[in-house]
Amino acid sequence: MPHYKYQGAQVSCLFKYILFVLNIIFWLVGAGLLAITFWAWNEKGVLNIQSITELNGLDPVWVILVVGLLTFVLGFTGCIGALRENICLLKFFSLIIGTIFTLELAAGILAFVFQDWVKEQVQNFIRDNIGVYRDDIDLQNLIDAVQKYMQCCGAAGPDDWNNNIYFNCSQENSSRERCGVPFSCCLPDPAQNVVNTQCGYDIRSKNTKLDDSMIIYTKGCVQAFEDWLPRNIYFVAGVFLVIAFLQMFSIYLARSLISDIKAMKAGWRY
């Protein structure tokens, strides 16, 4: 019975187990995000595709699902590929990471070159989601969190809330929130320990028009982000550099293992 005798190169154990540990972490993170996704949908009672897709705006849970699924798949292929020294899985892992990195780079360049177009698209996207603000609790919480953190209101300003059927100023609107804004647009009152959810009522009504800047944020969220970015440019650049480094390092480890495995297989003989 023939037996194999090994000669030549060996797979780097250091690279193998670094890649394995990194992808175990990614795998667990992906599994956690998927668990959060199904928990959130279960809490909203929409564990069926038809009701999930009824929302016209952005459901933040979809973002978590896509990121979680991608992270889970990449973690699985990288982890098993490194542990089992499987060339196909390692090539798939390297290809997907490389594609993601290329798309991120292209998106960054295009966003810089076409800044005005991107700004317009972002404003339209925010306005569309303002229109369905009350339709999904996760979207509502996301918009409120952004407005409170960025100290802004609407995409270009408070009047963007006219896009919402509950807040618009039309005569046909019988909502108590007519001509108002959500409480997340209001300036915080240090004297109040409890959030006043009615602080934005009638604030855009001409009959009760006051100095809006003393009660609510008058800056749009797009402009607020443009002002925030230069003040935090080092933090943002650092985050992107860390992400880019991890992606390139993972590709390097995967390709190094592929080369070692190929060399090792070429060294086997009878």
Side-chain angles (χ1 to χ4, degrees):
M1 183 175 179
H3 67 278
Y4 290 98
K5 184 178 180 181
Y6 176 70
Q7 291 183 344
Q10 296 185 21
V11 174
S12 171
C13 289
L14 178 62
F15 286 0
K16 175 179 177 178
Y17 287 108
I18 288 177
L19 187 62
F20 173 75
V21 170
L22 282 176
N23 282 282
I24 278 286
I25 296 172
F26 294 155
W27 195 359
L28 294 175
V29 169
L33 292 175
L34 290 176
I36 292 172
T37 297
F38 291 108
W39 171 81
W41 276 338
N42 182 62
E43 287 294 303
K44 291 191 288 188
V46 289
L47 277 176
N48 62 83
I49 297 300
Q50 182 178 357
S51 56
I52 289 173
T53 55
E54 285 177 355
L55 180 65
N56 293 321
L58 170 71
D59 185 346
V61 180
W62 275 109
V63 178
I64 300 175
L65 174 64
V66 171
V67 174
L69 188 60
L70 184 60
T71 306
F72 182 84
V73 171
L74 285 175
F76 175 82
T77 55
C79 177
I80 302 302
L83 187 63
R84 303 298 298 172
E85 298 177 6
N86 187 298
I87 291 179
C88 290
L89 289 177
L90 289 173
K91 283 185 175 180
F92 175 81
F93 173 81
S94 178
L95 175 64
I96 297 301
I97 292 289
T99 302
I100 293 173
F101 178 78
T102 303
L103 291 175
E104 290 172 346
L105 187 61
I109 294 173
L110 291 174
F112 179 77
V113 174
F114 301 103
Q115 294 182 40
D116 293 337
W117 181 84
V118 171
K119 180 178 179 179
E120 181 182 354
Q121 296 305 309
V122 171
Q123 286 181 338
N124 292 335
F125 176 76
I126 295 175
R127 290 190 184 106
D128 290 341
N129 284 279
I130 283 175
V132 291
Y133 171 78
R134 292 294 191 201
D135 295 355
D136 183 82
I137 187 62
D138 292 322
L139 176 61
Q140 181 176 315
N141 291 336
L142 177 62
I143 292 175
D144 286 336
V146 170
Q147 290 191 146
K148 285 193 289 186
Y149 177 75
M150 300 299 295
Q151 298 184 350
C152 59
C153 189
D159 286 337
D160 286 331
W161 283 96
N162 278 326
N163 293 326
N164 188 279
I165 60 173
Y166 299 101
F167 294 97
N168 71 61
C169 293
S170 64
Q171 294 297 325
E172 297 79 14
N173 184 12
S174 58
S175 169
R176 179 62 188 87
E177 295 176 310
R178 177 181 177 274
C179 254
V181 293
F183 73 94
S184 55
C185 284
C186 298
L187 275 68
D189 187 350
Q192 292 182 341
N193 295 325
V194 179
V195 176
N196 179 11
T197 58
Q198 300 179 359
C199 59
Y201 282 16
D202 302 318
I203 191 64
R204 295 184 297 111
S205 173
K206 292 181 179 180
N207 296 329
T208 59
K209 196 73 173 179
L210 301 172
D211 185 1
D212 289 354
S213 62
M214 300 296 293
I215 303 174
I216 63 172
Y217 302 120
T218 56
K219 182 184 295 184
C221 290
V222 174
Q223 184 60 51
F225 178 76
E226 290 181 340
D227 295 340
W228 175 88
L229 190 58
R231 299 195 303 268
N232 298 271
I233 190 65
Y234 293 112
F235 170 76
V236 174
V239 170
F240 279 107
L241 286 175
V242 169
I243 293 173
F245 170 77
L246 288 175
Q247 290 173 333
M248 297 304 294
F249 185 56
S250 297
I251 293 173
Y252 170 74
L253 291 176
R255 291 182 176 176
S256 296
L257 284 178
I258 291 171
S259 298
D260 287 351
I261 294 168
K262 287 181 177 179
M264 184 185 71
K265 289 184 175 180
W268 287 97
R269 68 176 180 83
Y270 287 105

